[in-house]
Amino acid sequence: MQQRGACRAGVVLSAVCLLAGCGGNQDTLHAHSSAQSNIVELFWVMFGSACVGFGVVVSLLFLGWLRRERAGFFAADGDVDRTGTRLVVVLGVALPLAVLAGLFVWADIFVVRSTAAPAPSSTQMTVEVVAHQWWWEVHYPGTAAVTANEIHIPTNTRIDLVGTSADVIHSFWVPELNRKIELIPGIENRILLDATSPGVYRGQCSEFCGVQHAHMAVAVIAEPAGRFRAWLANMAAPALPPATATERAGLRVFLSEPCASCHTIRGTSARGGVGPDLTHLASRSTLAALTIPNTPAYLRGWIANPQAVKPGAKMPAVPLSGRQLDELTAYLEHLR
Ligand code: CUA
């Protein structure tokens, strides 16, 4: 009785674990682009073919078991052998060869081509991504816009995403938009992004790249062209000057502490190139590559002790007083 209970609990637990991968965000079967639609279609046809093949094999096994007492499998006379051989040749050799060859041509010639690096002349816009341990730097060529971890794109636009790495090998993967590409130092790899509907598509670094690999998420935010243009214009502009006395004090803290030697805030003297560009930090909805939400309380906690949030992160804790932390947080959360 106890054993059966444990068995049932095991089944429920594995079902929960398996199904946890379905639905929600980062769902490979939930396509929001032309490339991903092709991948999903291929998956279902392959899955369907495999199910049919499995069904045929199991039915034949079952038939054999039902007729186990009979002398011959198909008939009592001498043509037993010939029927059996034909069955093996057709179902066991010819059919799998034809199905596998067909799937190979479709998958490795047509689907691969539709998801491969787009011809630069076929795209309307380029976005450059540089992977770092453990965040993503994003540039929009032809503009001054630089951001991190949240990549805005216009919907129904063919975008050439060009990716590389500043340190180790990472992999850029937004499952609802396309397959993966490797981001390798010194090499540029490209992928097509063409979101068909507005939304926030979560992605994840999918190549182990160090202790915080799991906290290296990315969001692709697809929005209508007008909203995207407004966002890009704001991103390209320099930072808002501090408006209150607290914010002015916060900027002074930023510039006098090591913050400015690692981060850039365009429009100030902070020109560091190690960490993310913070010019419009307050316009992002998350911090530390989607690890925590971007709220004043989380931002304050992150600055006070980054290692508590993301152990191993390259950002050191800077010794600041409680008041300095408040001023710095007020200034940074003002940078819309
Ligand atoms: Cu970057 Cu894993």
Side-chain angles (χ1 to χ4, degrees):
M1 209 52 187
Q2 212 167 17
Q3 217 166 11
R4 196 180 295 173
C7 184
R8 201 172 295 165
V11 169
V12 170
L13 195 67
S14 22
V16 166
C17 291
L18 278 172
L19 292 173
C22 303
N25 221 329
Q26 285 194 187
D27 178 356
T28 42
L29 297 181
H30 202 195
H32 284 280
S33 74
S34 65
Q36 191 59 29
S37 300
N38 292 338
I39 295 173
V40 172
E41 205 174 50
L42 176 68
F43 169 81
W44 284 118
V45 170
M46 281 192 159
F47 184 66
S49 313
C51 287
V52 171
F54 183 69
V56 169
V57 170
V58 169
S59 311
L60 285 174
L61 269 176
F62 187 63
L63 203 66
W65 177 76
L66 276 184
R67 299 181 161 207
R68 64 193 180 283
E69 299 298 336
R70 298 202 189 172
F73 193 91
F74 294 100
D77 50 39
D79 59 32
V80 169
D81 276 354
R82 216 189 297 157
T83 316
T85 308
R86 259 185 227 149
L87 207 65
V88 168
V89 169
V90 172
L91 286 183
V93 181
L95 192 70
L97 269 181
V99 170
L100 289 177
L103 282 175
F104 175 81
V105 169
W106 183 28
D108 286 45
I109 295 178
F110 292 103
V111 175
V112 159
R113 201 174 288 166
S114 77
T115 63
S121 57
S122 75
T123 55
Q124 292 141 280
M125 207 182 106
T126 301
V127 177
E128 290 172 356
V129 172
V130 184
H132 296 259
Q133 284 175 319
W134 290 277
W135 59 282
W136 313 83
E137 179 184 343
V138 188
H139 292 260
Y140 290 78
T143 76
V146 184
T147 186
N149 308 321
E150 296 179 13
I151 306 174
H152 287 242
I153 59 168
T155 47
N156 297 309
T157 309
R158 285 173 63 83
I159 286 146
D160 185 13
L161 185 133
V162 183
T164 189
S165 167
D167 37 52
V168 299
I169 299 178
H170 303 265
S171 176
F172 178 87
W173 188 31
V174 183
E176 284 163 272
L177 297 182
N178 209 336
R179 63 181 162 107
K180 306 173 179 182
I181 49 166
E182 298 274 274
L183 304 189
I184 305 166
I187 291 178
E188 283 188 343
N189 280 332
R190 300 184 302 111
I191 199 164
L192 173 72
L193 291 186
D194 66 335
T196 46
S197 42
V200 179
Y201 306 114
R202 194 180 191 278
Q204 172 69 41
C205 177
S206 56
E207 173 89 40
F208 181 71
C209 54
V211 285
Q212 283 301 329
H213 158 70
H215 283 147
M216 188 168 168
V218 61
V220 173
I221 298 147
E223 50 201 2
R227 274 188 64 181
F228 169 75
R229 273 196 300 273
W231 174 85
L232 188 63
N234 182 54
M235 249 342 92
L240 287 173
T244 65
T246 311
E247 289 165 13
R248 275 190 288 278
L251 174 58
R252 279 196 298 277
V253 172
F254 191 90
L255 296 176
S256 62
E257 293 296 334
C259 316
S261 54
C262 286
H263 295 277
T264 287
I265 296 180
R266 283 172 278 133
T268 73
S269 59
R271 283 268 161 240
V274 179
D277 183 300
L278 303 178
T279 309
H280 299 284
L281 176 69
S283 69
R284 305 204 275 265
S285 57
T286 59
L287 297 170
L290 278 62
T291 306
I292 47 174
N294 186 5
T295 64
Y298 273 106
L299 178 62
R300 193 183 189 281
W302 167 242
I303 300 170
N305 192 359
Q307 300 302 318
V309 178
K310 216 168 158 172
K314 308 282 175 180
M315 177 152 147
V318 177
L320 295 171
S321 69
R323 187 174 159 183
Q324 283 176 312
L325 272 173
D326 290 338
E327 292 165 344
L328 191 54
T329 305
Y331 171 62
L332 291 172
E333 288 294 9
H334 155 79
L335 300 177
R336 289 240 125 244

